[in-house]
Amino acid sequence: MTSTAIQIDAAFDSGNIEVLSIAGTTARLAIRKDTNSDFFQWFHFRVSNAAGRALELKITGLNASAYPDGWSGYNAAVSEDREFWGRASSSFDPGEDNGTLTIRYQPAGHLAWFAYFAPYSWERHQDLVASCALSAGVTHRVLGHSRDGRSIDCLDLGEGPKQVWLYARQHPGESMAEWWMEGALDCLTDPADPVGRALRRNCTFHVVPNANPDGSVLGNLRTNSLGVNLNREWENPSAAQSPEVLAIRNAMDATGVDLAMDVHGDEAIPAVFLAGFEGIPSWSEALQGGFNRYKAILDRRTPDFQTKRGYPVAGPGRANLSMSTNQLAERFGAVSMTLEMPFKDNDDLPDLAQGWSPERSAQLGRDCMAALLEWLAD
Ligand code: ZN
């Protein structure tokens, strides 16, 4: 048996790989493009018949991927039990086969799953929504439906006057964003958590754990099933192109927004950082001050956050209002922010076994809630 070739499958929730060739324990692979789009970067597949042998998996053509800078210094996520996600030693050669990531891993058993980041399945999303909806004081509602008919789920909780919106996975391949949601919701729904209790007294929360369920299930990096990047739709969302955004934005119009966090992952930068709304027409020092103060509090609270690395800020009047963070700051005068977690690791505090992980994403969700409580108290 051990002399036969490995097999590779990706026909499951968020699966994505094309098999070019297999020989023994080696494979040449390519990533399928997002549905109706040219973006590609997310992969998720299973290797079977490994039988404890050393695997060499080559994902080719990556110079044309959405973020070619995402591959150097990156190690693929791997799991044998689909609970614990570690990292498989990987190396990137831009000169091999138009950019090749070579993943080396020797599983203990017959099966191993590989992914761009630990996946967060639609089934687990159902479990998350179910358990939160059963918690005391939590209301669940469906804001609308995706293009393919999946629910845009929202959890509402708290009694306070501040309207806080938390939403994630506009970019479906950024699965760390929904792991972050598990941590934030764990804090907010635990009746014994003093941070959650105090936040619920001060705020009313509206939490959308997955804003792009179609893209998530399809194994896309950035788009819904129509190939639309939802985070470029916030100025003029449409029922035809971006029903997901239209549903969320209409619900925001109904409640108003005082503070918003849009949760993402970044392919290239090995750090956690926040991006704001500099460059919106209604920019003010007071609004900017609110954002800067939140950043400073989070920086003080957790070594997994930093403020040195991040995106360049837009100049005056140059903000892109089709992005949710800018749109919400402009539309509501809200302190609005984009949280970015790494696909790689936090290089200031590296974890060789797991890199950035579901566990660290969830912990950051809790820390972000604690920072919010401190921010409200000032
Ligand atoms: Zn993103």
Side-chain angles (χ1 to χ4, degrees), residues 171 174 264-265:
H171 295 145
E174 294 161 11
H264 286 254

Side-chain angles (χ1 to χ4, degrees), residues 132-373:
C132 289
L134 285 169
S135 301
V138 178
T139 305
H140 170 266
R141 58 183 166 139
V142 176
L143 301 182
H145 288 87
S146 68
R147 178 72 194 187
D148 294 350
R150 295 188 176 89
S151 56
I152 305 300
D153 291 313
C154 181
L155 298 155
D156 301 295
L157 61 161
E159 304 85 41
K162 292 269 188 210
Q163 300 294 321
V164 178
W165 278 83
L166 311 173
Y167 54 108
R169 295 194 83 182
Q170 290 200 76
H171 295 145
E174 294 161 11
S175 53
M176 60 286 280
E178 200 158 2
W179 292 110
W180 181 97
M181 280 290 178
E182 278 203 6
L185 284 165
D186 186 43
C187 167
L188 292 172
T189 60
D190 182 351
D193 189 313
V195 171
R197 292 180 64 205
L199 281 173
R200 288 167 66 159
R201 204 164 53 189
N202 288 310
C203 307
T204 300
F205 287 87
H206 313 280
V207 186
V208 180
N210 189 333
N212 191 346
D214 294 349
S216 304
V217 172
L218 289 164
N220 289 353
L221 177 75
R222 276 177 89 70
T223 76
N224 69 6
S225 64
L226 294 165
V228 174
N229 177 353
L230 295 182
N231 202 25
R232 299 295 182 277
E233 290 288 306
W234 284 74
E235 199 163 16
N236 289 299
S238 72
Q241 294 289 310
S242 45
E244 303 87 354
V245 173
L246 186 64
I248 298 167
R249 210 193 66 176
N250 284 346
M252 288 174 168
D253 281 348
T255 65
V257 182
D258 294 306
L259 183 131
M261 287 185 88
D262 180 19
V263 190
H264 286 254
D266 184 88
E267 291 78 2
I269 299 174
V272 177
F273 57 96
L274 281 168
F277 45 82
E278 295 86 354
I280 63 168
S282 303
W283 183 91
S284 71
E285 269 181 33
L287 200 58
Q288 185 70 36
F291 172 58
N292 291 347
R293 199 159 53 75
Y294 185 87
K295 271 201 297 193
I297 293 168
L298 191 59
D299 191 25
R300 199 166 63 231
R301 290 197 74 98
T302 171
D304 264 340
F305 182 72
Q306 56 81 53
T307 57
K308 291 181 187 69
R309 282 176 288 194
Y311 297 143
V313 301
R318 303 291 296 272
N320 181 347
L321 293 176
S322 71
M323 297 170 75
S324 65
T325 289
N326 292 326
Q327 178 62 220
L328 299 181
E330 179 66 23
R331 193 179 189 88
F332 298 105
V335 172
S336 179
M337 55 189 101
T338 308
L339 176 69
E340 297 281 354
M341 289 173 275
F343 279 89
K344 294 173 179 174
D345 200 348
N346 168 14
D347 277 2
D348 293 336
L349 195 61
D351 176 343
L352 295 179
Q354 278 192 287
W356 192 254
S357 65
E359 293 81 358
R360 293 170 81 185
S361 304
Q363 180 59 47
L364 183 68
R366 293 183 199 99
D367 286 331
C368 284
M369 293 304 98
L372 176 56
L373 182 60

Side-chain angles (χ1 to χ4, degrees), residues 56-79:
E56 185 184 79
L57 310 167
K58 288 181 176 289
I59 306 181
T60 63
L62 297 178
N63 291 342
S65 65
Y67 299 94
D69 291 344
W71 304 111
S72 64
Y74 166 79
N75 293 307
V78 61
S79 178

